Amino acid sequence: MIAPACLLSEGSPSLNQIGGVVLVAYLVLLVGIGIVGFLKSRATEEDFYLAGRDQGFLVTVMTIMATFFSSAAILGIPGMVYKDGVSFLLFAMNLPCAGVAVYLLGSRIRRVGRKRSYVTQGDMIAGYYGDSAAIRIAVAMIGFLYVLPYIIMQIKAGGYLARGMFPDAGNVALFGKEFGMFELGATALSLVTMIYVLIGGMRSVAWTDVVQGFLLLGGMVLAAVVTMAAMGGPVEFFRKVSALPPDSLSLPGPSGTWTPWKLMTVCLFASTASMIQPGQWIRYYSARNDRALKQSALIFAVALPICYLFGVMLVALGGRVLYPPEMTGDGLIANPAVGEFDQIVVVMIKEHLPAMMGVMGAVLVAVVLVAVLAASMSTADSNLHALSAVVTRDIYDRFVRPGSSQKERAWVGRIVIVAATLLALLLVTTGQESEELSPLKLIADLMFAAIAFACQLMPVTIDMCFIRRGTKAGALAGMISGVLVVFLFTPFPGLLFGSGGLIGDVMHMTGTLQTLFDIGFCGFAVNCSVFAAVSCFTSRLDSDKVAEFARDMLSTSEDNSTNPS
Amino acid sequence: MKVDERRRRRIGLALFCLFALALVMGPGPGIYLVNPGIEEANSRTVLGMPVIYVWTVFWCSVQAAVVVVSYFTVWKEQKK
């Protein structure tokens, strides 16, 4: 393997130096946008969380997209293609499903949110089901179960990325302690993200998402162009891909994971669940009008599959040709030159771009690596912001200090952002040294567990938006049962209760189910059944209130009489 | 007006069915129609590309087309 740094001419700056300059410029830009966002903001809770409900098309589409595309989009998902070959390409079909959800669910959520001054998903769901405190808490808990792993995952990705960007950098001594590049990268990502979320709220988050979104899309396409060129053009590329080992050209792939039912349920349920997680829900409220969401749906369904199917997924397939994974007694492992499956895009561009373009290539490597960082930061900032809204609106304002002022709540929100960032950072840095957290090592695995929890809000969301026949008790029972089912699919029951006896049998069963279907779908099926059954036998919601809610949701005229703040 | 609404609903239903079909045919069980066995995986190509890649691009395009048509015909916007 040729070391990319060796291909730069003598006297030219090293990859580390170029990467450092690009990275610092990017981080300064983000903080600058945060400051501008702060200067434009008003000191109200609604402005901090929803940017005055006035985000236009470009900001709406980019912030929804950047929130949706976490580090998994450019690390985890290509890692899966690298591992499982063409079978995982079918995952790209989750994007049109996500697009449809943006319009069909998002526009309805936006209309009610605007008319009723909702800020969080708890406001709407609990408000619909009779202003129930239990439902508000359940929705907040599901929000935590989604948001916290996602924040942790993005910070971890920042650590990995720093290690990839500066492989030759040694440890740095700070405050009498040695820190490696992983710790420094994770810390830098979390602190910069925290700062701009803290000072500018939703406005800063959304504006930085625009920058990050463009970087991300550019990085995905650039990486594909480089791969094609490095492999002799599209015809030669596909000739080499077609000569891959047969199991990587058919389903269920070398690891035997991707059966059609599993792929189909993942495409439908994981994408829709990602579109109703707390951060996205807030983005629907903050959209200026239906048109912004409608156009976002179009971009999701048309432009993003292109970036996947003709972009980053081809990079991973090229990686499979150049660095074939190896089958060992413990299963399939990444090629030693790649290290971990998730790193394939990073390795591909770092190895080939400088070889093709010299110093300019090194600059582009730095830009693409910053794009990966952007993917992580854009998801981390949205989730931090959403977490702050959930704690402030659904917990603090309802149960700790009801009637607190907007200013007070905005400050509590900021404290939550700081506390959550530091906690996540602590978990990441200590988890990195602990073997017990190894089941959660692969980024994509953690993503699917978090999404599966968010999926448990789907039945109530569908009921509110389309059916409107569920009851308060049904909604609560459904959500609790769905979350418990998803919990059984995670490694935690085994870690908490051991893997013998009944727990062992349950884990065996969930292990089998997991090979057949998406985890979120399994929870969803139980959730829906319980929701429907309990709703049949419990008292219905006030029909006048339900009708009024439906009118607010389906009204085709924008009601300006309600002042959102 | 009512006729327009009825037509819109009919188009919406047709598009929904087409979208669902694409989901079943693409990542769903429909893939068995083209999924190559181990012995023929290297020879099953379309224009030199692996058949599953082409299959994915095709059904993804169908879904994208459904969204584009919905955008222009079915999805209503709120008016000020």
Side-chain angles (χ1 to χ4, degrees), chain A residues 147-164:
Chain A
V147 165
L148 284 175
Y150 249 78
I151 295 172
I152 291 169
M153 195 167 81
Q154 305 315 314
I155 292 176
K156 258 174 88 171
Y160 284 134
L161 201 67
R163 216 160 50 184

mmCIF file of all heavy atoms in Angstrom, chain A residues 147-164:
data_model
loop_
_atom_site.group_PDB
_atom_site.id
_atom_site.type_symbol
_atom_site.label_atom_id
_atom_site.label_comp_id
_atom_site.label_asym_id
_atom_site.label_seq_id
_atom_site.Cartn_x
_atom_site.Cartn_y
_atom_site.Cartn_z
ATOM 1 N N VAL A 147 -32.391 9.823 21.435
ATOM 2 C CA VAL A 147 -31.443 10.933 21.344
ATOM 3 C C VAL A 147 -30.093 10.598 21.982
ATOM 4 O O VAL A 147 -29.041 10.856 21.391
ATOM 5 C CB VAL A 147 -32.084 12.180 22.005
ATOM 6 C CG1 VAL A 147 -31.059 13.241 22.271
ATOM 7 C CG2 VAL A 147 -33.191 12.730 21.119
ATOM 8 N N LEU A 148 -30.115 10.002 23.170
ATOM 9 C CA LEU A 148 -28.852 9.780 23.881
ATOM 10 C C LEU A 148 -27.886 8.861 23.125
ATOM 11 O O LEU A 148 -26.722 9.229 22.926
ATOM 12 C CB LEU A 148 -29.124 9.254 25.298
ATOM 13 C CG LEU A 148 -29.616 10.328 26.276
ATOM 14 C CD1 LEU A 148 -29.980 9.711 27.613
ATOM 15 C CD2 LEU A 148 -28.572 11.420 26.472
ATOM 16 N N PRO A 149 -28.351 7.673 22.646
ATOM 17 C CA PRO A 149 -27.396 6.851 21.870
ATOM 18 C C PRO A 149 -26.893 7.580 20.638
ATOM 19 O O PRO A 149 -25.738 7.423 20.251
ATOM 20 C CB PRO A 149 -28.224 5.626 21.458
ATOM 21 C CG PRO A 149 -29.405 5.611 22.314
ATOM 22 C CD PRO A 149 -29.644 7.007 22.786
ATOM 23 N N TYR A 150 -27.753 8.375 20.035
ATOM 24 C CA TYR A 150 -27.333 9.083 18.828
ATOM 25 C C TYR A 150 -26.253 10.108 19.125
ATOM 26 O O TYR A 150 -25.296 10.265 18.366
ATOM 27 C CB TYR A 150 -28.543 9.763 18.160
ATOM 28 C CG TYR A 150 -28.893 9.108 16.851
ATOM 29 C CD1 TYR A 150 -29.581 7.913 16.819
ATOM 30 C CD2 TYR A 150 -28.497 9.662 15.649
ATOM 31 C CE1 TYR A 150 -29.878 7.287 15.626
ATOM 32 C CE2 TYR A 150 -28.778 9.049 14.450
ATOM 33 C CZ TYR A 150 -29.478 7.867 14.440
ATOM 34 O OH TYR A 150 -29.756 7.243 13.255
ATOM 35 N N ILE A 151 -26.400 10.827 20.231
ATOM 36 C CA ILE A 151 -25.366 11.810 20.586
ATOM 37 C C ILE A 151 -24.052 11.081 20.857
ATOM 38 O O ILE A 151 -22.984 11.465 20.360
ATOM 39 C CB ILE A 151 -25.797 12.636 21.827
ATOM 40 C CG1 ILE A 151 -27.027 13.486 21.503
ATOM 41 C CG2 ILE A 151 -24.660 13.540 22.297
ATOM 42 C CD1 ILE A 151 -27.642 14.171 22.709
ATOM 43 N N ILE A 152 -24.155 9.994 21.620
ATOM 44 C CA ILE A 152 -22.944 9.223 21.953
ATOM 45 C C ILE A 152 -22.264 8.723 20.676
ATOM 46 O O ILE A 152 -21.044 8.827 20.508
ATOM 47 C CB ILE A 152 -23.318 8.046 22.878
ATOM 48 C CG1 ILE A 152 -23.740 8.592 24.242
ATOM 49 C CG2 ILE A 152 -22.172 7.053 23.013
ATOM 50 C CD1 ILE A 152 -24.375 7.579 25.147
ATOM 51 N N MET A 153 -23.118 8.213 19.768
ATOM 52 C CA MET A 153 -22.591 7.655 18.527
ATOM 53 C C MET A 153 -21.851 8.708 17.691
ATOM 54 O O MET A 153 -20.796 8.444 17.128
ATOM 55 C CB MET A 153 -23.793 7.143 17.742
ATOM 56 C CG MET A 153 -23.489 6.239 16.629
ATOM 57 S SD MET A 153 -25.039 5.497 16.127
ATOM 58 C CE MET A 153 -25.708 6.776 15.111
ATOM 59 N N GLN A 154 -22.409 9.918 17.654
ATOM 60 C CA GLN A 154 -21.781 10.967 16.835
ATOM 61 C C GLN A 154 -20.453 11.406 17.457
ATOM 62 O O GLN A 154 -19.479 11.671 16.753
ATOM 63 C CB GLN A 154 -22.711 12.185 16.695
ATOM 64 C CG GLN A 154 -24.094 11.878 16.152
ATOM 65 C CD GLN A 154 -24.069 10.947 14.969
ATOM 66 O OE1 GLN A 154 -23.281 11.108 14.048
ATOM 67 N NE2 GLN A 154 -24.928 9.923 14.988
ATOM 68 N N ILE A 155 -20.425 11.484 18.783
ATOM 69 C CA ILE A 155 -19.183 11.881 19.448
ATOM 70 C C ILE A 155 -18.107 10.815 19.219
ATOM 71 O O ILE A 155 -16.941 11.124 18.950
ATOM 72 C CB ILE A 155 -19.442 12.123 20.953
ATOM 73 C CG1 ILE A 155 -20.328 13.374 21.113
ATOM 74 C CG2 ILE A 155 -18.139 12.295 21.718
ATOM 75 C CD1 ILE A 155 -20.748 13.666 22.533
ATOM 76 N N LYS A 156 -18.538 9.553 19.280
ATOM 77 C CA LYS A 156 -17.598 8.457 18.994
ATOM 78 C C LYS A 156 -17.042 8.586 17.589
ATOM 79 O O LYS A 156 -15.838 8.407 17.353
ATOM 80 C CB LYS A 156 -18.350 7.116 19.096
ATOM 81 C CG LYS A 156 -18.104 6.372 20.365
ATOM 82 C CD LYS A 156 -18.980 5.163 20.436
ATOM 83 C CE LYS A 156 -18.364 3.955 19.788
ATOM 84 N NZ LYS A 156 -19.155 2.724 20.071
ATOM 85 N N ALA A 157 -17.932 8.913 16.646
ATOM 86 C CA ALA A 157 -17.490 9.043 15.250
ATOM 87 C C ALA A 157 -16.462 10.160 15.123
ATOM 88 O O ALA A 157 -15.491 10.039 14.363
ATOM 89 C CB ALA A 157 -18.691 9.323 14.354
ATOM 90 N N GLY A 158 -16.650 11.237 15.902
ATOM 91 C CA GLY A 158 -15.681 12.335 15.887
ATOM 92 C C GLY A 158 -14.313 11.862 16.335
ATOM 93 O O GLY A 158 -13.277 12.255 15.773
ATOM 94 N N GLY A 159 -14.300 10.985 17.342
ATOM 95 C CA GLY A 159 -13.039 10.424 17.833
ATOM 96 C C GLY A 159 -12.349 9.573 16.777
ATOM 97 O O GLY A 159 -11.161 9.724 16.506
ATOM 98 N N TYR A 160 -13.142 8.692 16.146
ATOM 99 C CA TYR A 160 -12.582 7.828 15.099
ATOM 100 C C TYR A 160 -12.013 8.666 13.959
ATOM 101 O O TYR A 160 -10.963 8.368 13.399
ATOM 102 C CB TYR A 160 -13.662 6.910 14.525
ATOM 103 C CG TYR A 160 -14.027 5.749 15.415
ATOM 104 C CD1 TYR A 160 -15.358 5.419 15.655
ATOM 105 C CD2 TYR A 160 -13.041 4.959 16.002
ATOM 106 C CE1 TYR A 160 -15.706 4.349 16.469
ATOM 107 C CE2 TYR A 160 -13.381 3.891 16.809
ATOM 108 C CZ TYR A 160 -14.713 3.592 17.042
ATOM 109 O OH TYR A 160 -15.044 2.534 17.843
ATOM 110 N N LEU A 161 -12.760 9.699 13.636
ATOM 111 C CA LEU A 161 -12.369 10.527 12.501
ATOM 112 C C LEU A 161 -11.064 11.260 12.771
ATOM 113 O O LEU A 161 -10.188 11.345 11.902
ATOM 114 C CB LEU A 161 -13.486 11.536 12.233
ATOM 115 C CG LEU A 161 -13.459 12.090 10.850
ATOM 116 C CD1 LEU A 161 -13.785 11.011 9.840
ATOM 117 C CD2 LEU A 161 -14.434 13.209 10.720
ATOM 118 N N ALA A 162 -10.936 11.789 13.992
ATOM 119 C CA ALA A 162 -9.697 12.488 14.344
ATOM 120 C C ALA A 162 -8.512 11.530 14.241
ATOM 121 O O ALA A 162 -7.446 11.888 13.747
ATOM 122 C CB ALA A 162 -9.805 13.049 15.752
ATOM 123 N N ARG A 163 -8.751 10.297 14.677
ATOM 124 C CA ARG A 163 -7.685 9.293 14.589
ATOM 125 C C ARG A 163 -7.335 9.019 13.123
ATOM 126 O O ARG A 163 -6.181 8.833 12.769
ATOM 127 C CB ARG A 163 -8.143 8.009 15.273
ATOM 128 C CG ARG A 163 -7.031 7.316 15.991
ATOM 129 C CD ARG A 163 -7.510 6.361 17.035
ATOM 130 N NE ARG A 163 -8.535 5.428 16.582
ATOM 131 C CZ ARG A 163 -9.132 4.560 17.370
ATOM 132 N NH1 ARG A 163 -8.828 4.511 18.651
ATOM 133 N NH2 ARG A 163 -10.046 3.743 16.929
ATOM 134 N N GLY A 164 -8.374 9.020 12.249
ATOM 135 C CA GLY A 164 -8.129 8.799 10.828
ATOM 136 C C GLY A 164 -7.458 9.972 10.155
ATOM 137 O O GLY A 164 -6.644 9.813 9.255
#
